[in-house]
Amino acid sequence: MKAKRRAVTAVPRSPDRNAPPTRRTTRRPPAGGIAPAGPLVRESGRTPAPTRLTLESVDLSVDLGRGLVLPNPILVASGTFGYGVEYGDVVEVDRLGAICCKGTTLKPRIGNPTPRVTETPAGMLNSIGLQNPGVDAVIEKYAGVWTSWKTPVLVNVAGESVHDYVEVARRLDGVPGVAGIELNISCPNVGAGGLQFAIDAGAAAEVTAAVRRATDLPLLVKLSPNVADIRPIARAIADAGADALTAINTLSGIAVAPGRRKPLLGNIYGGLSGPAVKPVALRIVYEAAQVVRIPVVAIGGVTELADVLDFLAVGAVAVQVGTAIFADPTLPVRLVDQLAAECAERGLTSYRELIGTALPRKAERPSSKGVEYRP
Ligand SMILES: Cc1cc2nc3c(=O)[nH]c(=O)nc-3n(C[C@H](O)[C@H](O)[C@H](O)COP(=O)(O)O)c2cc1C
């Protein structure tokens, strides 16, 4: 779906604090950009005519592979937007790029003991424990509603074994309303001593390849930041047949209970999210984007347009908004409008020109790490 038609008059103040200064003395139509309707500023004493760059002229669509083309690159992150239906009254869900629904497992899960969340400086810790009604109930209850939405819904899948993941994928395969799968592999592999799939290249590749064989649905695989080097893992997942990577899941952490006699969370460990994790997410996206040829979707601490632009600059083709939704569920849709306005203001017909601008240029600094993804 395209952004709402709205004319940008003159030069709006950019909400991007890192934006290059806007040229104010002359107008030079950018290559492939939007044709100017009049001078931006007074030249030779004439009154300036207002610029008429429409947001509709900006192409925000993004191709994540295997036929999954999103209307725009602003998604909502798993676990922070329920199954989408919960937000129908407050959010124009049809204007989102995609919805990653809550983590879904083969069998219903009651989740972890309470307390499950606590606030941290610039973020939060959660240990929800994948509470969900199980894949069959999710399909029965929500897939029908999803079919009526323009916005693609990606089902976030979790499991305790390769078999779990495969079985959930098999049940989702071909279900109307399910546009794709996002694999949450930050889960313990019970048969392998509880080692998380996401922290081992071999295990991550094994589960990715097995799910790939089980379904033709577009397959996104979500990276964990809790590793020393993301590059071999990103490569292994791409080689195993993922259509796209998403990065990052939460960072492992704990908090201490009042009285200081035990950890605060009922599960002891929780996942850190919010603005505090953004630099880590930027680093992981920057590194992953240089070693794979599949698209990378960024997640981690997005609260404003500048964050979106930062993630695009380090090679992400799209961005998910997570924790910030708890404070303002309307933020993702506003970011869609702001991104379109930013592009129109810069004279860009497509946001894709913003992708990868902060990655090393191969010509200047040949990289042994691989090839940047540039759509
Ligand atoms: C309460 C909560 C629940 C989450 N549940 C899931 C989940 O079920 N599956 C998953 O892959 N990620 C889950 N996440 C991780 C988010 O999708 C996201 O990767 C992470 O929070 C970083 O983004 P943010 O800083 O914008 O929140 C959850 C995060 C939060 C805060």
Side-chain angles (χ1 to χ4, degrees), residues 155-231:
V155 176
N156 181 279
V157 172
E160 292 181 346
S161 66
V162 172
H163 168 265
D164 277 6
Y165 284 98
V166 166
E167 191 52 32
V168 176
R170 211 183 52 71
R171 294 186 193 193
L172 292 169
D173 191 57
V175 172
V178 176
I181 288 176
E182 179 184 50
L183 280 194
N184 171 6
I185 57 170
S186 301
C187 302
N189 182 355
V190 170
L195 191 75
Q196 282 186 15
F197 294 93
I199 65 168
D200 178 75
E206 184 192 352
V207 68
T208 302
V211 172
R212 175 72 296 157
R213 287 191 294 273
T215 176
D216 288 329
L217 283 167
L219 178 60
L220 290 70
V221 180
K222 190 165 183 177
L223 303 179
S224 166
N226 302 313
V227 297
D229 186 353
I230 200 65
R231 291 169 300 180

Side-chain angles (χ1 to χ4, degrees), residues 77-80 101-104 117 124 126 128 130 156 182 184 222 248-250 271-275 277 299-302 320-324 326:
S78 176
T80 63
C101 81
K102 238 166 111 54
T104 300
V117 291
M124 66 181 276
N126 92 81
I128 306 297
L130 297 172
N156 181 279
E182 179 184 50
N184 171 6
K222 190 165 183 177
I248 58 174
N249 213 319
T250 52
L272 180 66
S273 62
V277 310
I299 326 153
V302 171
Q320 297 184 11
V321 185
T323 300
F326 296 130

Side-chain angles (χ1 to χ4, degrees), residues 201 204-205 208 223 229-242 245 287-288 290-294 367-371:
T208 302
L223 303 179
D229 186 353
I230 200 65
R231 291 169 300 180
I233 298 168
R235 266 195 223 104
I237 292 170
D239 291 347
L245 300 176
E287 292 178 349
Q290 292 180 68
V291 297
V292 298
R293 288 172 182 270
I294 56 175
S367 167
S368 57
K369 292 191 258 176
V371 182

Side-chain angles (χ1 to χ4, degrees), residues 62-70 75 154 218 220 243-244 295 297 317-318:
V62 51
D63 186 347
L64 293 184
R66 209 168 285 261
L68 180 62
V69 179
L70 312 186
L75 296 76
L154 309 174
L220 290 70
D243 296 304
V297 177
V317 302

